[in-house]
Every structure is written in C-alpha cells, then in structure tokens.
Amino acid sequence: MYYIGDILWQLFYLALLVLLVVMVVKVFRFFIKHMTKMHHLENKVDKLNEQLKKKDD
C-alpha cells in the first residue's frame, strides 16, 4: 500500500520537473529570438554604414 503523502510528493516533484523544463524551453526560445533580432539589427547598421560611405565618395 502506498501512502497518500508519498503519491502527493511524487506528483509535486513531477509537476516541478515539468515546470522547470517548460521554463528552460521558454528561456531558450526567447534567447534564440532575441539573438536573431540582434543579428538583424547589426546587418541593418552595416548596410547603413555602407550607404553613408558611398554618399561620402
């Protein structure tokens, strides 16, 4: 016979584990999205700098 407390603790730990995994995935996706945005902005800055150099010439 299992005690109710043991079952509740197992469910609690399982819920914590699932929550942890979900948070890690969200943070990972956020960083990927953020990094691609930063890369995109860097590309725009490079293009603007090239245009300014061409205007100077």
Side-chain angles (χ1 to χ4, degrees):
M1 287 263 310
Y2 286 110
Y3 292 112
I4 301 288
D6 287 343
I7 294 170
L8 286 176
W9 272 113
Q10 284 180 357
L11 286 175
F12 178 70
Y13 279 121
L14 187 67
L16 274 181
L17 190 67
V18 168
L19 191 67
L20 184 69
V21 169
V22 167
M23 290 302 287
V24 167
V25 168
K26 279 189 176 185
V27 167
F28 196 65
R29 286 174 59 190
F30 171 78
F31 270 111
I32 288 176
K33 201 179 284 185
H34 216 64
M35 293 304 277
T36 53
K37 271 188 186 173
M38 293 296 285
H39 188 66
H40 190 65
L41 285 175
E42 286 174 4
N43 286 345
K44 279 190 173 180
V45 168
D46 289 341
K47 283 180 185 175
L48 286 173
N49 282 337
E50 285 175 13
Q51 287 176 0
L52 285 173
K53 283 180 186 174
K54 284 180 184 175
K55 282 184 180 176
D56 288 343
D57 293 341

